[in-house]
Coordinates of all heavy atoms in Angstrom, one line a residue:
V279 N -37.4 4.7 7.0 CA -38.5 3.8 6.6 C -39.6 4.7 5.8 O -40.4 4.1 5.0 CB -39.3 3.1 7.7 CG1 -38.4 2.1 8.3 CG2 -39.9 4.0 8.8
I280 N -39.5 6.0 6.0 CA -40.5 6.8 5.2 C -40.3 6.6 3.7 O -41.2 6.7 3.0 CB -40.2 8.3 5.6 CG1 -40.6 8.6 7.0 CG2 -41.0 9.3 4.7 CD1 -40.3 10.0 7.5
T281 N -39.0 6.3 3.3 CA -38.7 6.1 1.9 C -39.2 4.7 1.4 O -39.1 4.5 0.2 CB -37.2 6.2 1.6 OG1 -36.6 5.2 2.3 CG2 -36.7 7.6 2.1
G282 N -39.7 3.9 2.3 CA -40.2 2.7 1.7 C -39.4 1.5 2.0 O -39.8 0.3 1.9
S283 N -38.1 1.7 2.1 CA -37.2 0.5 2.4 C -35.9 1.0 3.1 O -35.3 2.0 2.6 CB -36.8 -0.2 1.2 OG -35.9 -1.3 1.5
L284 N -35.6 0.4 4.1 CA -34.4 0.7 4.9 C -33.1 0.4 3.9 O -32.0 0.9 4.1 CB -34.3 -0.2 6.1 CG -33.1 0.1 7.1 CD1 -33.2 1.5 7.6 CD2 -33.2 -0.9 8.3
G285 N -33.4 -0.5 2.9 CA -32.2 -0.9 2.1 C -31.7 0.2 1.1 O -30.8 0.0 0.3
L286 N -32.4 1.4 1.1 CA -32.1 2.3 0.1 C -31.3 3.5 0.6 O -30.8 4.2 -0.2 CB -33.4 2.9 -0.5 CG -34.4 2.0 -1.1 CD1 -35.8 2.6 -1.3 CD2 -33.8 1.5 -2.4
L287 N -31.1 3.6 1.9 CA -30.5 4.9 2.4 C -29.0 4.8 2.7 O -28.5 3.8 3.3 CB -31.2 5.3 3.6 CG -32.6 5.9 3.3 CD1 -33.1 6.7 4.5 CD2 -32.6 6.9 2.1
P288 N -28.3 5.8 2.2 CA -26.8 5.8 2.4 C -26.5 6.7 3.6 O -27.3 7.5 4.1 CB -26.4 6.6 1.1 CG -27.5 7.5 0.9 CD -28.8 6.9 1.3
S289 N -25.2 6.6 4.0 CA -24.8 7.6 5.1 C -23.3 7.9 4.9 O -22.6 7.1 4.3 CB -25.1 7.2 6.5 OG -24.0 6.3 6.9
A290 N -22.9 9.1 5.4 CA -21.5 9.5 5.4 C -21.1 9.9 6.7 O -21.8 10.6 7.5 CB -21.4 10.7 4.4
S291 N -20.0 9.4 7.2 CA -19.4 9.8 8.5 C -18.1 10.6 8.2 O -17.2 10.0 7.6 CB -19.2 8.6 9.4 OG -20.4 7.9 9.5
I292 N -18.1 11.8 8.7 CA -17.0 12.7 8.3 C -16.5 13.4 9.6 O -17.2 13.7 10.5 CB -17.5 13.7 7.2 CG1 -17.7 12.9 6.0 CG2 -16.4 14.7 7.0 CD1 -18.2 13.6 4.8
G293 N -15.2 13.5 9.6 CA -14.6 14.2 10.8 C -13.1 14.6 10.5 O -12.8 15.1 9.5
T294 N -12.3 14.2 11.5 CA -10.9 14.6 11.5 C -10.1 13.8 10.4 O -9.2 14.4 9.8 CB -10.3 14.4 12.9 OG1 -11.3 14.6 13.8 CG2 -9.1 15.3 13.1
H295 N -10.3 12.5 10.3 CA -9.5 11.7 9.4 C -10.4 11.2 8.3 O -11.4 11.9 8.0 CB -8.8 10.6 10.2 CG -8.0 11.1 11.3 ND1 -6.8 11.7 11.1 CD2 -8.1 11.0 12.6 CE1 -6.2 12.1 12.3 NE2 -7.0 11.7 13.2
T296 N -10.0 10.1 7.7 CA -10.7 9.6 6.5 C -12.2 9.4 6.7 O -12.6 8.8 7.7 CB -10.0 8.2 6.1 OG1 -8.6 8.3 6.3 CG2 -10.3 7.9 4.6
G297 N -13.0 9.8 5.8 CA -14.4 9.6 5.9 C -14.9 8.2 5.6 O -14.2 7.5 4.8
V298 N -15.9 7.8 6.2 CA -16.4 6.4 6.0 C -17.8 6.5 5.5 O -18.7 7.3 5.9 CB -16.6 5.7 7.4 CG1 -17.2 4.3 7.3 CG2 -15.2 5.5 8.0
F299 N -18.1 5.7 4.5 CA -19.4 5.7 3.8 C -20.1 4.4 3.8 O -19.5 3.3 3.4 CB -19.1 6.2 2.3 CG -18.5 7.5 2.3 CD1 -17.1 7.6 2.5 CD2 -19.2 8.7 2.3 CE1 -16.5 8.9 2.6 CE2 -18.6 9.9 2.4 CZ -17.3 10.0 2.5
E300 N -21.2 4.3 4.4 CA -21.9 3.0 4.7 C -23.4 3.2 4.6 O -23.9 4.3 4.9 CB -21.5 2.5 6.1 CG -21.9 3.5 7.2 CD -21.7 2.9 8.6 OE1 -22.2 1.8 8.9 OE2 -21.1 3.7 9.4
P301 N -24.1 2.1 4.2 CA -25.6 2.2 4.2 C -26.1 2.3 5.6 O -25.4 1.9 6.5 CB -26.0 0.9 3.5 CG -24.8 0.0 3.7 CD -23.6 0.8 3.8
V302 N -27.3 2.8 5.7 CA -28.0 2.9 7.1 C -28.4 1.5 7.5 O -28.4 1.3 8.8 CB -29.2 3.9 7.0 CG1 -30.0 3.8 8.3 CG2 -28.7 5.3 6.7
H303 N -28.7 0.6 6.6 CA -29.1 -0.8 7.1 C -28.0 -1.5 7.7 O -26.8 -1.3 7.6 CB -29.7 -1.5 5.8 CG -28.7 -1.9 4.8 ND1 -27.7 -2.8 5.0 CD2 -28.5 -1.4 3.5 CE1 -27.0 -2.9 3.9 NE2 -27.4 -2.1 3.0
G304 N -28.4 -2.6 8.4 CA -27.4 -3.5 9.1 C -27.0 -4.7 8.3 O -27.1 -4.7 7.0
S305 N -26.6 -5.7 8.9 CA -25.9 -6.9 8.3 C -26.9 -7.9 7.8 O -26.5 -8.9 7.1 CB -24.9 -7.6 9.2 OG -25.6 -8.0 10.3
Y306 N -28.2 -7.8 8.1 CA -29.3 -8.6 7.5 C -28.9 -10.1 7.5 O -28.9 -10.7 6.4 CB -29.7 -8.1 6.2 CG -31.0 -8.6 5.6 CD1 -31.9 -9.4 6.3 CD2 -31.2 -8.4 4.2 CE1 -33.1 -9.8 5.7 CE2 -32.4 -8.9 3.6 CZ -33.3 -9.6 4.3 OH -34.4 -10.1 3.8
P307 N -28.5 -10.7 8.6 CA -27.9 -12.1 8.6 C -28.8 -13.1 7.9 O -28.2 -14.0 7.3 CB -27.8 -12.4 10.1 CG -28.3 -11.3 10.9 CD -28.6 -10.1 10.0
Q308 N -30.1 -13.0 8.0 CA -31.0 -14.0 7.4 C -30.7 -14.1 5.9 O -31.1 -15.1 5.2 CB -32.5 -13.7 7.6 CG -32.9 -13.4 9.0 CD -32.7 -12.0 9.4 OE1 -31.7 -11.3 9.1 NE2 -33.7 -11.4 10.1
A309 N -30.3 -13.1 5.3 CA -30.1 -13.0 3.8 C -28.7 -13.4 3.3 O -28.4 -13.4 2.1 CB -30.5 -11.6 3.3
T310 N -27.8 -13.5 4.3 CA -26.4 -13.7 4.0 C -26.1 -14.8 2.9 O -26.6 -15.9 3.1 CB -25.6 -14.1 5.2 OG1 -25.8 -13.1 6.2 CG2 -24.1 -14.1 4.9
G311 N -25.4 -14.4 1.9 CA -25.0 -15.4 0.9 C -26.1 -15.7 -0.1 O -25.9 -16.6 -1.0
K312 N -27.3 -15.2 0.0 CA -28.4 -15.5 -0.8 C -28.5 -14.7 -2.1 O -29.4 -14.9 -3.0 CB -29.7 -15.5 -0.1 CG -29.8 -16.5 1.0 CD -31.2 -16.5 1.5 CE -31.4 -17.6 2.7 NZ -32.4 -17.2 3.6
D313 N -27.6 -13.6 -2.2 CA -27.7 -12.7 -3.3 C -29.1 -12.1 -3.5 O -29.5 -11.9 -4.6 CB -27.3 -13.5 -4.6 CG -26.8 -12.7 -5.7 OD1 -26.4 -11.5 -5.4 OD2 -26.7 -13.1 -6.8
I314 N -29.7 -11.8 -2.4 CA -31.0 -11.1 -2.5 C -31.1 -9.7 -1.8 O -32.1 -9.0 -2.0 CB -32.2 -12.0 -1.8 CG1 -31.8 -12.2 -0.3 CG2 -32.4 -13.3 -2.5 CD1 -32.9 -12.9 0.5
A315 N -30.0 -9.3 -1.1 CA -30.1 -8.1 -0.4 C -30.1 -6.9 -1.4 O -29.5 -6.9 -2.5 CB -28.9 -8.0 0.5
N316 N -30.8 -5.8 -1.0 CA -30.8 -4.6 -1.8 C -29.5 -3.9 -1.7 O -29.0 -3.4 -0.7 CB -31.9 -3.8 -1.3 CG -32.3 -2.6 -2.2 OD1 -31.5 -2.3 -3.1 ND2 -33.6 -2.2 -2.3
P317 N -28.8 -3.7 -2.9 CA -27.5 -3.1 -2.8 C -27.6 -1.5 -2.9 O -26.5 -0.9 -2.9 CB -26.8 -3.6 -4.1 CG -27.9 -3.9 -5.0 CD -29.1 -4.2 -4.2
I318 N -28.8 -1.0 -3.1 CA -28.9 0.4 -3.4 C -28.4 1.4 -2.3 O -27.7 2.4 -2.6 CB -30.4 0.8 -3.8 CG1 -30.8 0.1 -5.1 CG2 -30.5 2.3 -4.0 CD1 -30.0 0.3 -6.3
G319 N -28.7 1.0 -1.0 CA -28.2 1.9 0.1 C -26.7 1.9 0.0 O -26.0 3.0 0.3
M320 N -26.0 0.8 -0.3 CA -24.6 0.7 -0.4 C -24.1 1.5 -1.6 O -23.0 2.2 -1.5 CB -24.2 -0.8 -0.5 CG -22.7 -1.0 -0.5 SD -22.0 -0.8 1.2 CE -20.8 0.5 0.8
V321 N -24.7 1.3 -2.7 CA -24.3 2.0 -4.0 C -24.4 3.5 -3.8 O -23.6 4.3 -4.2 CB -25.1 1.5 -5.2 CG1 -24.9 2.4 -6.4 CG2 -24.7 0.1 -5.5
L322 N -25.5 3.9 -3.1 CA -25.7 5.4 -2.9 C -24.7 5.9 -1.8 O -24.3 7.1 -1.9 CB -27.1 5.7 -2.4 CG -28.1 5.5 -3.6 CD1 -29.6 5.7 -3.0 CD2 -27.9 6.5 -4.8
S323 N -24.2 5.0 -1.0 CA -23.1 5.4 -0.1 C -21.8 5.6 -0.9 O -21.1 6.5 -0.6 CB -22.9 4.3 1.0 OG -24.1 4.2 1.7
A324 N -21.7 4.8 -1.9 CA -20.5 5.0 -2.8 C -20.7 6.4 -3.5 O -19.7 7.1 -3.7 CB -20.4 3.9 -3.8
A325 N -21.9 6.8 -3.8 CA -22.1 8.1 -4.5 C -21.8 9.2 -3.4 O -21.1 10.2 -3.8 CB -23.6 8.3 -4.9
L326 N -22.1 9.0 -2.2 CA -21.7 10.0 -1.2 C -20.1 10.0 -1.0 O -19.6 11.1 -0.8 CB -22.3 9.7 0.2 CG -23.8 10.1 0.4 CD1 -24.2 9.7 1.8 CD2 -23.9 11.6 0.2
L327 N -19.5 8.9 -1.1 CA -18.1 8.8 -1.1 C -17.5 9.6 -2.2 O -16.5 10.4 -2.0 CB -17.7 7.3 -1.2 CG -16.2 7.0 -1.0 CD1 -16.0 5.5 -0.6 CD2 -15.4 7.2 -2.3
L328 N -18.0 9.5 -3.4 CA -17.5 10.2 -4.5 C -17.7 11.7 -4.3 O -16.7 12.5 -4.5 CB -18.2 9.8 -5.8 CG -17.9 8.4 -6.3 CD1 -18.9 8.0 -7.4 CD2 -16.5 8.2 -6.8
E329 N -18.8 12.1 -3.8 CA -19.2 13.5 -3.7 C -18.5 14.2 -2.5 O -17.7 15.2 -2.6 CB -20.7 13.7 -3.5 CG -21.1 15.1 -3.3 CD -22.6 15.2 -3.0 OE1 -23.4 14.3 -3.2 OE2 -23.0 16.3 -2.5
L330 N -18.7 13.6 -1.3 CA -18.1 14.2 -0.1 C -16.7 13.8 0.2 O -15.9 14.5 0.8 CB -19.0 13.9 1.1 CG -20.5 14.3 1.0 CD1 -21.3 13.9 2.2 CD2 -20.6 15.9 0.8
G331 N -16.4 12.6 -0.2 CA -15.1 12.0 0.2 C -14.0 12.5 -0.8 O -12.9 12.7 -0.5
L332 N -14.3 12.5 -2.1 CA -13.3 12.7 -3.2 C -13.6 13.9 -4.0 O -12.9 14.2 -4.9 CB -13.3 11.5 -4.1 CG -13.0 10.1 -3.4 CD1 -13.0 9.0 -4.5 CD2 -11.7 10.1 -2.6
N333 N -14.7 14.6 -3.7 CA -15.1 15.8 -4.4 C -15.3 15.5 -5.9 O -15.1 16.3 -6.7 CB -14.0 16.9 -4.2 CG -14.7 18.3 -4.4 OD1 -15.9 18.5 -4.3 ND2 -13.8 19.3 -4.6
L334 N -15.8 14.3 -6.2 CA -16.2 14.0 -7.6 C -17.7 14.1 -7.8 O -18.4 13.1 -7.8 CB -15.7 12.6 -8.0 CG -14.2 12.3 -7.8 CD1 -13.8 10.9 -8.0 CD2 -13.4 13.2 -8.7
V335 N -18.1 15.4 -7.9 CA -19.5 15.7 -7.9 C -20.3 15.1 -9.1 O -21.4 14.5 -8.9 CB -19.8 17.2 -7.7 CG1 -21.3 17.5 -7.7 CG2 -19.1 17.7 -6.5
D336 N -19.8 15.3 -10.3 CA -20.5 14.8 -11.5 C -20.5 13.2 -11.5 O -21.6 12.6 -11.9 CB -19.7 15.2 -12.8 CG -19.8 16.7 -12.9 OD1 -20.7 17.3 -12.4 OD2 -19.0 17.3 -13.6
E337 N -19.5 12.6 -10.9 CA -19.5 11.2 -10.9 C -20.6 10.7 -9.9 O -21.2 9.7 -10.2 CB -18.1 10.7 -10.4 CG -17.0 10.9 -11.5 CD -16.4 12.3 -11.5 OE1 -17.0 13.2 -11.0 OE2 -15.3 12.5 -12.2
A338 N -20.7 11.4 -8.8 CA -21.8 11.0 -7.8 C -23.1 11.1 -8.5 O -24.0 10.3 -8.3 CB -21.7 11.9 -6.6
K339 N -23.3 12.2 -9.2 CA -24.6 12.4 -10.0 C -24.9 11.2 -10.9 O -26.0 10.8 -11.1 CB -24.6 13.7 -10.8 CG -24.9 14.9 -9.9 CD -25.2 16.1 -10.9 CE -25.2 17.4 -10.0 NZ -24.5 18.5 -10.7
A340 N -23.8 10.8 -11.6 CA -24.0 9.7 -12.5 C -24.4 8.4 -11.9 O -25.2 7.6 -12.4 CB -22.7 9.5 -13.3
V341 N -23.9 8.2 -10.6 CA -24.3 7.0 -9.9 C -25.8 7.1 -9.5 O -26.6 6.2 -9.7 CB -23.5 6.8 -8.6 CG1 -24.0 5.7 -7.8 CG2 -22.0 6.6 -9.0
R342 N -26.2 8.3 -9.1 CA -27.6 8.5 -8.7 C -28.5 8.4 -9.9 O -29.6 7.8 -9.7 CB -27.7 9.9 -8.0 CG -27.0 9.9 -6.7 CD -27.4 11.1 -5.8 NE -26.5 11.1 -4.6 CZ -25.5 12.0 -4.4 NH1 -25.3 13.0 -5.4 NH2 -24.7 11.9 -3.4
A343 N -28.1 8.9 -11.0 CA -28.9 8.8 -12.2 C -29.1 7.3 -12.6 O -30.2 6.9 -12.9 CB -28.3 9.5 -13.4
A344 N -28.0 6.5 -12.5 CA -28.1 5.1 -12.8 C -29.1 4.4 -11.8 O -29.9 3.5 -12.2 CB -26.8 4.4 -12.7
V345 N -29.0 4.8 -10.5 CA -29.9 4.2 -9.6 C -31.4 4.5 -9.9 O -32.3 3.7 -9.9 CB -29.5 4.7 -8.1 CG1 -30.7 4.3 -7.1 CG2 -28.2 4.0 -7.7
D346 N -31.6 5.8 -10.2 CA -33.0 6.2 -10.6 C -33.5 5.4 -11.7 O -34.6 4.9 -11.8 CB -33.0 7.7 -11.0 CG -33.2 8.6 -9.8 OD1 -33.6 8.1 -8.7 OD2 -32.9 9.8 -9.8
A347 N -32.6 5.2 -12.7 CA -33.0 4.5 -13.9 C -33.3 3.0 -13.6 O -34.3 2.5 -14.1 CB -31.8 4.5 -14.9
S348 N -32.6 2.5 -12.6 CA -32.8 1.1 -12.3 C -34.1 0.9 -11.6 O -34.9 0.0 -11.8 CB -31.7 0.5 -11.5 OG -31.8 1.0 -10.1
L349 N -34.5 1.9 -10.8 CA -35.7 1.8 -10.0 C -36.9 2.0 -11.0 O -37.9 1.3 -10.9 CB -35.8 2.9 -8.9 CG -34.8 2.7 -7.8 CD1 -34.9 3.9 -6.8 CD2 -35.0 1.4 -7.0
T350 N -36.7 2.9 -11.9 CA -37.8 3.2 -12.9 C -38.0 2.0 -13.8 O -39.1 1.6 -14.2 CB -37.4 4.4 -13.8 OG1 -37.1 5.5 -12.9 CG2 -38.6 4.8 -14.7
A351 N -36.8 1.3 -14.2 CA -36.9 0.2 -15.1 C -37.4 -1.1 -14.3 O -37.5 -2.2 -14.9 CB -35.6 -0.1 -15.7
G352 N -37.5 -1.0 -13.0 CA -37.9 -2.2 -12.3 C -36.8 -3.2 -12.1 O -37.1 -4.4 -11.8
V353 N -35.5 -2.8 -12.2 CA -34.5 -3.7 -12.0 C -34.1 -3.6 -10.5 O -33.2 -2.8 -10.1 CB -33.3 -3.3 -12.9 CG1 -32.1 -4.3 -12.6 CG2 -33.6 -3.3 -14.3

Side-chain angles (χ1 to χ4, degrees):
V279 294
I280 294 177
T281 63
S283 173
L284 186 61
L286 299 168
L287 286 193
S289 85
S291 302
I292 291 178
T294 323
H295 302 291
T296 323
V298 173
F299 301 85
E300 61 173 307
V302 170
H303 65 70
S305 59
Y306 192 13
Q308 308 87 314
T310 306
K312 293 189 180 153
D313 203 16
I314 56 170
N316 194 333
I318 297 299
M320 185 74 237
V321 168
L322 290 173
S323 300
L326 280 179
L327 183 156
L328 294 167
E329 181 187 343
L330 302 176
L332 307 180
N333 205 21
L334 301 175
V335 177
D336 293 339
E337 289 81 344
K339 276 192 193 141
V341 173
R342 294 191 185 108
V345 167
D346 274 341
S348 74
L349 296 175
T350 307
V353 182

